[in-house]
Amino acid sequence: MSDGIANPASLIEVFWIEKYLTFAQTADDRLLGTDCMFVGEYALRGEPADSARFEAALYRNGQTAPVATYDGTDPMWCNKLWVNRKVQSFDSLADLEAAYPPTDRFHWKVSGSEIGGTTLPIGIGGPGGRTDIPQPHPMRLYQEGRRISDYRSVDADKPLTVEWDPFPGGKTGPVVDDLIFLFVDDCHGKVIYFGGLPVDPDYITFRSTSATIPAGTLRRGEDFTVFFSQCRMIDQMDSAGVMNVAVNSFGVELDIRTIGTAAAPCPEPRLKAPFMWLRKTTPGGGLMTWPTIVEGRHCAPEATYNTPR
């Protein structure tokens, strides 16, 4: 099989497959598993309407039926890109491993008037054919050098430092380095802090072990969620100018609240940014559209990622 996609970089930024574990961090810093997922997505280089200019499908090598098809509808705004994401939930990592063994390889096919072809296969367990998800662990929050013990009493008027463990075995890559993502969203589902991408100056790298959210980024008397993820690039290649990656990762969400009186009430129930975990997909249904997309929880680009750097 040859990497035979014609003109993909005009429309697509990245092809991404992933084994992804999600957790909720409790008030006493325990991690409660919320999902074990297989993810298949692509990110657009331009606007959401561009996704209607082609169709895409993800295949497991050696099979004629696609694992998932993408008709270009309903991309979500995530990581400063429009993303068309599909996922399948499992009750345990063992179940995920049984359905998608680490020796499996996958390829993408795209077709349209301006783009078409098939990517080279990429391994969800990398060249070694093994799953290597970084060790999940809780975040630690600090203000004025003191560790916060009550996550319902954060002071919005002071800088907030988020700390985590070093990325085990984190490394650079030929296409993209291992990644750390750090976000904060508010109760309206708007991203108010983002640690950046490799194209951004001073972004959070895999070598980082902390980041400080400036005073005044949070607002008084409101609920927020801090999201942290370590993403290991288990396999990667350049597909005719498009990043083609396989990822093993985990994500942790920590709900916090600031002291004081809110200027305006939060909606009930509170909204989540579109990349946040909402619920599992339907059992036995294969890869499905990411639940926050299904429920219409979008964030417009102009209303998010307005991060003070």
Side-chain angles (χ1 to χ4, degrees):
M1 182 181 296
S2 63
D3 207 358
I5 292 188
N7 200 32
S10 63
L11 294 174
I12 299 171
E13 182 76 25
V14 60
F15 295 112
W16 181 290
I17 60 172
E18 181 178 17
K19 283 183 177 177
Y20 180 37
L21 308 184
T22 56
F23 299 86
Q25 182 171 337
T26 66
D28 57 354
D29 294 331
R30 290 176 296 121
L31 293 186
L32 301 181
T34 52
D35 215 336
C36 303
M37 288 174 277
F38 183 84
V39 180
E41 67 184 34
Y42 65 80
L44 293 168
R45 182 151 291 184
E47 297 303 315
D50 289 342
S51 64
R53 295 162 63 184
F54 64 94
E55 294 181 349
L58 176 63
Y59 288 82
R60 199 187 313 240
N61 266 26
Q63 296 187 0
T64 56
V67 175
T69 58
Y70 303 76
D71 61 5
T73 59
D74 226 7
M76 71 171 180
W77 182 249
C78 179
N79 297 345
K80 294 187 177 181
L81 295 166
W82 287 103
V83 174
N84 200 327
R85 172 180 294 181
K86 292 196 174 183
V87 301
Q88 184 176 0
S89 297
F90 296 89
D91 291 332
S92 68
L93 177 57
D95 291 343
L96 172 59
E97 293 286 86
Y100 296 94
T103 52
D104 279 359
R105 296 173 68 78
F106 297 82
H107 60 273
W108 292 86
K109 291 184 178 181
V110 295
S111 60
S113 60
E114 306 158 72
I115 182 174
T118 303
T119 67
L120 287 169
I122 195 163
I124 192 60
R130 67 184 185 93
T131 299
D132 191 10
I133 296 170
Q135 179 62 43
H137 59 275
M139 295 169 271
R140 301 173 291 276
L141 305 188
Y142 295 84
Q143 286 192 306
E144 296 184 323
R146 294 188 294 272
R147 186 167 177 180
I148 296 174
S149 58
D150 181 3
Y151 297 128
R152 310 290 292 175
S153 62
V154 175
D155 191 335
D157 297 327
K158 297 177 182 177
L160 175 66
T161 297
V162 183
E163 185 180 89
W164 53 86
D165 294 349
F167 197 127
K171 62 181 184 297
T172 59
V175 179
V176 62
D177 298 346
D178 290 338
L179 294 173
I180 288 177
F181 290 115
L182 183 67
F183 297 87
V184 180
D185 79 338
D186 66 14
C187 61
H188 302 279
K190 301 298 186 289
V191 177
I192 60 169
Y193 177 86
F194 176 42
L197 294 171
V199 296
D200 298 324
D202 302 323
Y203 80 102
I204 295 173
T205 75
F206 70 85
R207 299 181 182 87
S208 306
T209 55
S210 68
T212 298
I213 300 165
T217 303
L218 308 179
R219 297 181 298 273
R220 297 180 183 179
E222 293 189 21
D223 295 313
F224 302 87
T225 299
V226 183
F227 171 88
F228 161 71
S229 177
Q230 288 181 335
C231 299
R232 190 183 306 283
M233 303 295 120
I234 201 77
D235 201 2
Q236 56 180 287
M237 66 181 69
D238 181 288
S239 292
V242 177
M243 289 186 291
N244 187 9
V245 297
V247 183
N248 289 183
S249 71
F250 74 88
V252 177
E253 296 181 15
L254 172 61
D255 292 334
I256 65 173
R257 184 174 178 82
T258 52
I259 57 176
T261 302
C266 286
E268 291 290 346
R270 64 156 292 184
L271 299 178
K272 284 192 169 187
F275 59 84
M276 295 287 195
W277 185 83
L278 183 64
R279 58 174 172 79
K280 287 186 174 182
T281 61
T282 304
L287 268 73
M288 301 179 180
T289 300
W290 183 247
T292 51
I293 300 177
V294 175
E295 300 198 3
R297 302 190 180 190
H298 291 260
C299 287
E302 64 273 9
T304 162
Y305 300 102
N306 49 354
T307 303
R309 298 298 294 167

Coordinates of all heavy atoms in Angstrom, one line a residue, residues 170-178 206 233 236:
G170 N 8.7 10.5 27.9 CA 8.4 11.5 26.9 C 9.5 11.8 25.9 O 10.7 11.9 26.3
K171 N 9.2 12.0 24.6 CA 10.3 12.2 23.7 C 9.8 13.0 22.5 O 8.6 13.2 22.2 CB 10.8 10.9 23.2 CG 9.8 10.0 22.5 CD 10.4 8.7 22.1 CE 9.5 7.8 21.3 NZ 8.3 7.4 22.0
T172 N 10.8 13.5 21.7 CA 10.5 14.2 20.5 C 10.2 13.2 19.4 O 10.5 12.0 19.5 CB 11.7 15.0 20.1 OG1 12.9 14.2 19.9 CG2 12.0 16.1 21.1
G173 N 9.6 13.6 18.3 CA 9.3 12.7 17.2 C 9.6 13.4 15.9 O 9.8 14.6 15.8
P174 N 9.6 12.5 14.8 CA 9.9 13.1 13.5 C 8.9 14.0 12.9 O 9.2 14.8 12.1 CB 10.1 11.8 12.7 CG 9.3 10.7 13.4 CD 9.4 11.1 14.8
V175 N 7.6 13.8 13.4 CA 6.5 14.7 12.9 C 6.0 15.5 14.0 O 5.8 16.7 13.8 CB 5.4 13.8 12.3 CG1 4.2 14.7 11.8 CG2 5.9 12.9 11.2
V176 N 5.7 15.0 15.2 CA 5.2 15.7 16.3 C 5.8 15.1 17.6 O 5.9 13.8 17.7 CB 3.7 15.8 16.3 CG1 3.1 14.4 16.4 CG2 3.2 16.7 17.4
D177 N 6.1 15.9 18.6 CA 6.5 15.4 19.9 C 5.4 14.9 20.7 O 4.2 15.1 20.4 CB 7.2 16.5 20.7 CG 8.5 17.1 20.0 OD1 8.9 16.4 19.0 OD2 8.9 18.1 20.4
D178 N 5.7 14.1 21.7 CA 4.7 13.8 22.7 C 4.1 15.1 23.2 O 4.7 16.1 23.3 CB 5.3 13.0 23.9 CG 5.6 11.5 23.4 OD1 5.1 11.0 22.4 OD2 6.5 10.9 24.1
F206 N 6.1 18.3 26.5 CA 6.1 17.1 27.3 C 7.1 17.2 28.4 O 7.0 16.4 29.4 CB 6.3 15.9 26.4 CG 7.7 15.8 25.9 CD1 8.7 15.2 26.6 CD2 8.0 16.3 24.6 CE1 10.0 15.1 26.1 CE2 9.3 16.2 24.1 CZ 10.3 15.6 24.8
M233 N 2.8 9.8 21.4 CA 2.8 9.5 20.0 C 3.4 8.1 19.7 O 4.6 8.0 19.6 CB 3.5 10.6 19.2 CG 3.0 12.0 19.4 SD 1.4 12.3 18.9 CE 0.6 12.8 20.4
Q236 N 3.8 7.4 14.1 CA 3.6 8.7 13.4 C 4.3 8.7 12.1 O 5.3 8.0 11.9 CB 4.0 9.9 14.2 CG 5.5 9.9 14.7 CD 5.8 11.1 15.5 OE1 6.0 12.2 15.0 NE2 6.0 10.9 16.8

